[in-house]
Amino acid sequence: GQQLNQSPQSMFIQEGEDVSMNCTSSSIFNTWLWYKQDPGEGPVLLIALYKAGELTSNGRLTAQFGITRKDSFLNISASIPSDVGIYFCAGRDSGSARQLTFGSGTQLTVLP
Amino acid sequence: EAGVVQSPRYKIIEKKQPVAFWCNPISGHNTLYWYRQNLGQGPELLIRYENEEAVDDSQLPKDRFSAERLKGVDSTLKIQPAELGDSAVYLCASSYRTDNSPLHFGNGTRLTVT
């Protein structure tokens, strides 16, 4: 089946710093989604990407759909304390199953 | 618009007991998903419905898990009997029935089996 490798597993950064995380897959995806999950809540959609090479921003967040269609990254600029949480990438393949596969998450901690 | 609603938020049961989770998707969303999320991991798909039809249940442990979406709107997921390893967060999500439609998640039900 599909496998998603998300890295890093965890990050500790100072408030105000930029952060980058990425996902790579073993198969080609036609959709990449980035979610954030706070404790006790469900994942919340941050950015959706639908075309290879697409670069999309949402406030201080920027994500890109890799040219090979097997990777994606998420950047957060000028981090603030409320950025703390777990960030998940998710990809949907181009086959008939349309299954959405999730990475294992990046735990982000922002230090004051 | 109202989001995906799940209940209960928490459930603690003893092993071998039955348990059921309920989900009401976003109005107009044809596709409904049940995911299981173990601690420190991403969500894993259990079953996907298109309206009332289960179109992908390949990851559902059918010996003890069952799900239904009889009228193509809300859905229930049942475990009978529960095992210790079933302790996890059970997430429901919904989307429009298009290939690129993103999933919107509920807040989940945290199940603890003792």
Side-chain angles (χ1 to χ4, degrees):
Chain A
Q2 302 154 358
Q3 293 186 355
L4 275 186
N5 293 312
Q6 185 171 351
S7 65
Q9 186 175 4
S10 63
M11 301 183 71
F12 292 81
I13 61 171
Q14 294 292 140
E15 184 175 355
E17 289 183 345
D18 299 344
V19 62
S20 182
M21 59 194 77
N22 69 84
C23 275
T24 58
S25 72
S26 58
S27 56
I28 291 174
F29 286 158
N30 61 7
T31 302
W32 281 99
L33 305 171
W34 284 92
Y35 287 85
K36 178 177 183 250
Q37 187 173 27
D38 292 327
E41 297 183 10
V44 174
L45 182 68
L46 299 174
I47 292 178
L49 302 162
Y50 300 113
K51 293 190 333 183
E54 180 180 357
L55 184 71
T56 298
S57 294
N58 178 8
R60 294 177 296 105
L61 279 61
T62 301
Q64 185 159 28
F65 194 139
I67 291 293
T68 66
R69 297 171 62 191
K70 290 186 176 183
D71 64 317
S72 177
F73 71 76
L74 174 71
N75 287 342
I76 305 173
S77 63
S79 58
I80 59 178
S82 62
D83 290 334
V84 167
I86 304 177
Y87 292 79
F88 290 99
C89 63
R92 180 179 280 134
D93 70 8
S94 56
S96 60
R98 295 173 55 236
Q99 183 175 343
L100 190 66
T101 301
F102 280 80
S104 55
T106 295
Q107 171 73 62
L108 179 64
T109 301
V110 180
L111 305 172
Chain B
E1 70 181 0
V4 177
V5 179
Q6 289 188 248
S7 68
R9 288 298 309 274
Y10 306 93
K11 191 73 176 178
I12 301 174
I13 61 171
E14 294 183 345
K15 62 181 180 182
K16 300 185 182 180
Q17 294 302 306
V19 64
F21 316 122
W22 177 81
C23 172
N24 194 35
I26 292 173
S27 178
H29 281 190
N30 310 87
T31 307
L32 183 146
Y33 312 74
W34 283 102
Y35 280 83
R36 177 168 58 191
Q37 185 175 26
N38 292 312
L39 189 64
Q41 298 181 21
E44 295 177 327
L45 181 69
L46 291 173
I47 190 169
R48 173 167 64 95
Y49 281 92
E50 299 287 356
N51 298 308
E52 67 276 5
E53 180 182 1
V55 297
D56 184 357
D57 62 356
S58 57
Q59 304 302 312
L60 189 72
K62 298 181 183 63
D63 56 336
R64 297 182 300 106
F65 285 65
S66 64
E68 60 182 18
R69 193 186 185 199
L70 294 177
K71 296 183 178 179
V73 181
D74 59 341
S75 175
T76 56
L77 177 69
K78 298 178 181 178
I79 309 175
Q80 182 172 12
E83 297 179 352
L84 294 176
D86 296 332
S87 295
V89 175
Y90 291 83
L91 293 163
C92 178
S94 68
S95 70
Y96 290 109
R97 193 186 180 281
T98 63
D99 284 349
N100 290 337
S101 181
L103 277 64
H104 298 268
F105 284 85
N107 284 329
T109 297
R110 179 176 296 277
L111 173 67
T112 302
V113 182
T114 64

